[in-house]
């Protein structure tokens, strides 16, 4: 038994590396996700559409350094450590400035900044070298890689644990007799996160039971109004979409009555309209209500446009950001509402947040994606400002001069160097532990929970049965971090996410879905 066990372990590590999860996810980030972020970022439009900037393919070149005399030479990790440099790759993006009513010029390669490089990733000079070649380059052949070198110091990005995205998580608030519950979805679309929260609580005096909140809409709004704005216009449609259960239908019917007062719908006015006109009137009233929330004090036309834009882009973005997805989103919210009402009436158990099915681990690639998205947005904003400035001065605008490459470089470098990430999280990247070889490997496989260290959180710190084989039951620090800082089990492997469209196509080909 002993012999075969270690044989199995050896076979596993002949195939996989201890830090594969970081390297694979970083490679995916570099090869696919950066281009996706650039493609979906809103294009720059100037002077009322007179000029626009179009972006194309991104090229990432292997690390080199510019010396004081202007000469360029390849740089290896050892040199970066010794000379306190950042081991990073140079990024070049195809861009062109298009002027209205003029033929589009050719793309030109513009240097947009540097990207800190993970050691042993695809673009690293060390990728694919054998032991002898690594020794010749001044590297330890046993070093696993998977970390960055910023200003000469080695920084590791620790894996972050979070509640599973794009999945409804149901939770009770308070005791059962309080009859309060919440359904939460963290919707993620190429790095952008939108948290949608639907809450059921007894109304104060004349309020509604079901209220929903999502990004860019201040406070909470009645669910019924949102469903109306998304195309479920009539009372009957809303009630039947949500549930067939009579008790649930009555709760929704109460909400509909109260929200009609909020929308100031006149019964007499409604009776004079045909069915189609009535639907249009109800939908428009609901959109106006949301518009008054998101763009108070603006013109009516702008309020309506802004409300529609917020619904399309920030409500469940993982389902799509096109306006024809509204009905699908309304159905999703209706399903979510029924699940919530089932929790209230004790027909369904709330989710266990500590169950590992309801969690996901975010590795280097995912965290770098968040960082790059924000950094690239600030680069496009800066470009817009530079181009507008040269237009105001009466100069001919040029893309090459408008790009200040240090905007992107400094944003990314600063985050990795300090560990202060976008979204206000601290300690995402840490100084690599070099106390011992085991210490280094342990640091690369660390998993950190976002919960605050100062509160008890007994359940979250407990060893959950579902962690078996995934998380090490012993390796966790003593003191306030106990159970919140964990480590991956020796032979656990993090699977990479895959493209949902690809899976959908395979299922369709198999004939499982019509």
């Amino acid at each position: 038994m002993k012999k075969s066990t270690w044989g199995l372990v050896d076979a596993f590590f002949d195939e996989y590396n201890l830090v594969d999860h970081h390297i694979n996810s970083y490679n995916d980030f570099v090869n696919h996700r950066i281009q996706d972020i650039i493609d979906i970022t809103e294009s720059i439009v100037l002077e009322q559409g007179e000029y626009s900037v179009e972006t194309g393919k991104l090229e990432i070149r292997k690390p080199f350094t510019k010396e004081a005399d202007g000469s360029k030479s390849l740089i290896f990790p050892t040199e970066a450590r010794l000379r306190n440099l950042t081991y990073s790759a140079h990024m070049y993006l195809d861009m062109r400035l298009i002027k209205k009513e003029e033929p589009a010029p050719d793309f030109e390669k513009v240097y947009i900044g540097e990207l800190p490089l993970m050691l042993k990733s695809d673009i690293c000079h060390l990728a694919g070298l054998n032991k002898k070649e690594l020794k010749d380059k001044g590297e330890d052949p046993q070093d696993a890689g998977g970390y960055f070198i910023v200003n000469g110091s080695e920084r590791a990005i620790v894996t972050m644990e979070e509640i599973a995205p794009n999945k409804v998580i149901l939770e009770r608030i308070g005791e059962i007799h309080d009859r309060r519950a919440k359904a939460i979805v963290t919707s993620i679309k190429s790095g952008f996160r939108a948290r949608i929260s639907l809450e059921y609580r007894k109304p104060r005096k004349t309020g509604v039971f079901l209220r929903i909140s999502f990004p860019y809409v201040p406070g909470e709004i009645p669910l019924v109004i949102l469903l109306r704005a998304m195309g479920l216009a009539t009372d009957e449609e809303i009630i039947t979409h949500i549930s067939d259960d009579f008790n649930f239908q009555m709760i929704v019917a109460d909400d509909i009555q109260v929200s009609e007062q909020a929308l100031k719908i006149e019964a007499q006015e409604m009776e004079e309209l045909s069915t189609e006109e009535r639907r249009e009137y109800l939908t428009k009233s609901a959109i106006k209500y949301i518009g008054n929330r998101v763009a108070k004090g603006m013109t009516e036309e702008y309020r309506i446009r802004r409300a529609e834009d917020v619904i399309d882009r920030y409500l469940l973005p993982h389902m799509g950001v096109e306006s024809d997805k509204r009905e699908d989103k309304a159905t999703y919210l209706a399903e979510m509402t029924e699940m919530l009402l089932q929790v209230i009436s004790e027909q369904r158990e709330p989710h266990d947040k500590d169950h590992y099915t309801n969690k996901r681990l975010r590795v280097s690639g995912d965290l770098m994606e968040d960082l790059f998205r924000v950094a690239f947005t600030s680069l496009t904003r800066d470009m817009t400002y530079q181009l507008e400035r040269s237009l105001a001065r009466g100069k001919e605008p040029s893309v090459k001069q408008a790009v200040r490459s240090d905007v992107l470089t400094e944003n990314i470098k600063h985050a990795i160097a300090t560990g202060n990430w976008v979204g206000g999280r601290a300690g995402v990247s840490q100084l690599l532990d070099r106390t011992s070889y085991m210490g280094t490997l342990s640091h690369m496989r660390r998993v950190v929970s976002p919960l605050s260290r100062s509160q008890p959180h007994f359940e979250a710190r407990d060893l959950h049965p579902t962690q078996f084989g995934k998380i090490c039951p012993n390796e966790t620090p003593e003191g306030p971090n106990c159970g919140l800082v964990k480590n991956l089990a020796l032979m656990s492997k993090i699977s990479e996410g895959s493209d949902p469209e690809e899976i959908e196509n395979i299922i369709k080909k198999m004939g499982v879905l019509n």
Side-chain angles (χ1 to χ4, degrees):
M1 183 65 190
K2 266 187 186 168
K3 240 182 185 168
S4 55
T5 309
W6 286 109
L8 183 70
V9 174
D10 288 342
F12 182 83
F13 288 114
D14 288 342
E15 181 81 19
Y16 304 112
N17 190 340
L18 276 165
V19 295
D20 268 352
H21 53 284
H22 285 303
I23 295 172
N24 292 341
S25 103
Y26 184 83
N27 285 339
D28 181 49
F29 162 68
V30 168
N31 299 333
H32 307 292
R33 298 193 216 177
I34 296 185
Q35 190 65 55
D36 290 346
I37 292 170
I38 290 169
D39 293 344
I40 64 158
T41 303
E42 282 182 35
S43 51
I44 298 169
V45 180
L46 308 159
E47 303 264 300
Q48 285 86 43
E50 183 70 26
Y51 291 94
S52 63
V53 177
E54 198 180 301
T55 57
K57 285 266 169 278
L58 177 84
E59 186 197 340
I60 300 179
R61 295 185 189 164
K62 288 204 168 190
F64 63 83
T65 180
K66 264 189 184 162
E67 301 301 346
D69 61 0
S71 65
K72 287 179 183 177
S73 63
L74 293 183
I75 179 172
F76 282 84
T78 312
E79 191 183 340
R81 289 188 193 99
L82 294 171
R83 292 177 55 191
N84 292 345
L85 301 173
T86 298
Y87 185 59
S88 56
H90 294 247
M91 295 186 284
Y92 295 84
L93 182 62
D94 286 343
M95 287 188 187
R96 60 180 174 194
L97 188 71
I98 299 169
K99 196 174 179 182
K100 220 178 185 179
E101 274 116 37
E102 279 188 22
D106 289 336
F107 277 114
E108 52 179 328
K109 273 210 186 310
V110 182
Y111 171 60
I112 57 167
E114 293 180 27
L115 178 73
L117 258 199
M118 180 179 280
L119 271 74
K120 304 271 178 98
S121 66
D122 285 351
I123 348 166
C124 174
H125 291 308
L126 306 178
L129 298 188
N130 61 34
K131 285 186 179 180
K132 187 181 178 307
E133 290 167 326
L134 285 168
K135 268 185 191 164
D136 295 344
K137 298 290 178 214
E139 286 293 319
D140 175 8
Q142 298 293 327
D143 186 51
Y147 56 90
F148 300 86
I149 297 172
V150 178
N151 302 332
S153 60
E154 300 172 327
R155 310 279 309 180
I157 290 183
V158 288
T159 307
M160 289 280 167
E161 190 179 75
E162 64 164 26
I163 292 286
N166 306 342
K167 179 175 180 178
V168 180
I169 303 288
L170 301 163
E171 55 177 300
R172 259 198 204 104
I173 304 172
E175 298 301 315
I176 291 181
H177 55 76
D178 290 345
R179 286 177 71 79
R180 276 185 72 188
K182 218 181 199 173
I184 296 169
V185 178
T186 310
S187 175
I188 295 186
K189 165 107 176 162
S190 56
F192 172 71
R193 312 165 68 77
R195 184 185 155 102
I196 291 92
S197 169
L198 172 67
E199 193 174 331
Y200 173 96
R201 59 170 183 263
K202 283 184 178 165
R204 294 193 191 93
K205 292 177 187 163
T206 54
V208 291
F209 284 96
L210 295 158
R211 308 185 72 85
I212 190 165
S213 65
F214 61 100
Y216 295 92
V217 177
E220 299 174 315
I221 56 170
L223 171 77
V224 175
I225 293 179
L226 181 62
L227 292 177
R228 281 226 160 108
M230 290 161 75
L232 299 185
T234 64
D235 301 358
E236 188 188 349
E237 278 179 324
I238 292 174
I239 291 173
T240 52
H241 260 74
I242 288 176
S243 182
D244 301 331
D245 186 306
F246 180 71
N247 295 330
F248 297 167
Q249 289 183 344
M250 291 316 292
I251 293 173
V252 179
D254 286 346
D255 272 11
I256 289 173
Q257 269 184 326
V258 178
S259 64
E260 273 180 4
Q261 294 160 8
L263 292 178
K264 302 184 178 67
I265 292 170
E266 298 292 333
Q268 272 175 311
E269 225 177 298
M270 293 276 287
E271 279 165 16
E272 294 160 16
L273 303 173
S274 69
T275 317
E276 204 42 56
E277 285 173 331
R278 196 177 296 170
R279 287 178 63 89
E280 218 166 280
Y281 172 74
L282 285 166
T283 305
K284 203 163 184 188
S285 305
I287 289 176
K288 271 187 198 165
Y289 177 90
I290 295 170
N292 290 341
R293 281 291 183 87
V294 291
K296 209 172 181 178
M298 298 290 190
T299 59
E300 184 172 307
E301 186 193 355
Y302 177 80
R303 286 200 307 257
I304 289 174
R305 201 172 65 237
R306 179 75 183 130
E308 288 177 336
D309 188 47
V310 165
I311 290 172
D312 291 338
R313 288 178 56 187
Y314 305 121
L315 180 70
L316 302 169
H318 74 279
M319 294 182 73
V321 289
E322 301 79 32
S323 54
D324 59 353
K325 292 275 193 280
R326 277 182 213 166
E327 217 155 286
D328 292 347
K329 289 181 183 180
T331 308
Y332 188 100
L333 289 176
E335 296 270 327
M336 196 164 145
T337 309
E338 183 173 34
M339 288 163 76
L340 184 66
L341 293 171
Q342 285 170 348
V343 169
I344 289 289
S345 61
E346 294 177 50
Q347 294 175 22
R348 178 193 280 266
E349 280 298 308
H351 285 108
D352 175 4
K353 280 168 123 182
D354 303 309
H355 195 292
Y356 239 66
T357 311
N358 299 327
K359 292 198 173 182
R360 294 291 177 273
L361 298 181
R362 308 196 70 209
V363 245
S364 304
D366 311 303
L367 295 160
M368 287 294 289
E369 182 180 22
D370 292 351
L371 193 56
F372 187 84
R373 205 185 89 253
V374 172
F376 189 72
T377 309
S378 45
L379 178 75
T380 52
R381 282 202 192 119
D382 186 71
M383 275 177 68
T384 312
Y385 171 70
Q386 299 293 341
L387 288 166
E388 277 171 353
R389 222 169 74 170
S390 56
L391 281 169
R393 290 177 176 173
K395 284 185 193 165
E396 189 58 39
S398 136
V399 183
K400 258 192 172 133
Q401 285 167 342
V403 175
R404 295 193 306 150
S405 58
D406 57 331
V407 174
L408 190 73
T409 309
E410 283 309 310
N411 260 328
I412 298 177
K413 208 164 114 176
H414 182 261
I416 295 179
T418 58
N420 299 330
W421 227 249
V422 292
R425 281 175 302 184
V428 175
S429 80
Q430 300 172 355
L431 195 65
L432 185 63
D433 178 7
R434 286 288 193 190
T435 321
S436 67
Y437 183 61
M438 295 293 261
T440 306
L441 291 181
S442 163
H443 198 184
M444 298 304 301
R445 292 176 71 80
R446 199 152 292 166
V447 177
V448 177
S449 163
L451 295 170
S452 83
R453 311 279 174 251
S454 52
Q455 287 171 323
H457 295 301
F458 291 120
E459 284 89 7
R461 295 169 191 269
D462 269 346
L463 186 63
H464 199 278
T466 51
Q467 291 176 2
F468 182 84
K470 305 177 185 79
I471 297 291
C472 177
N474 297 323
E475 193 177 359
T476 179
E478 289 188 15
N481 283 328
C482 186
L484 299 180
V485 173
K486 300 185 267 289
N487 281 73
L488 289 176
L490 186 67
M491 286 170 67
S492 71
K493 183 174 175 296
I494 299 177
S495 58
E496 283 89 52
S498 43
D499 183 18
E501 282 177 19
E502 219 173 286
I503 296 171
E504 267 177 41
N505 293 336
I506 293 169
I507 293 174
K508 277 176 190 162
K509 268 185 194 160
M510 287 163 68
V512 180
L513 280 177
N514 50 5

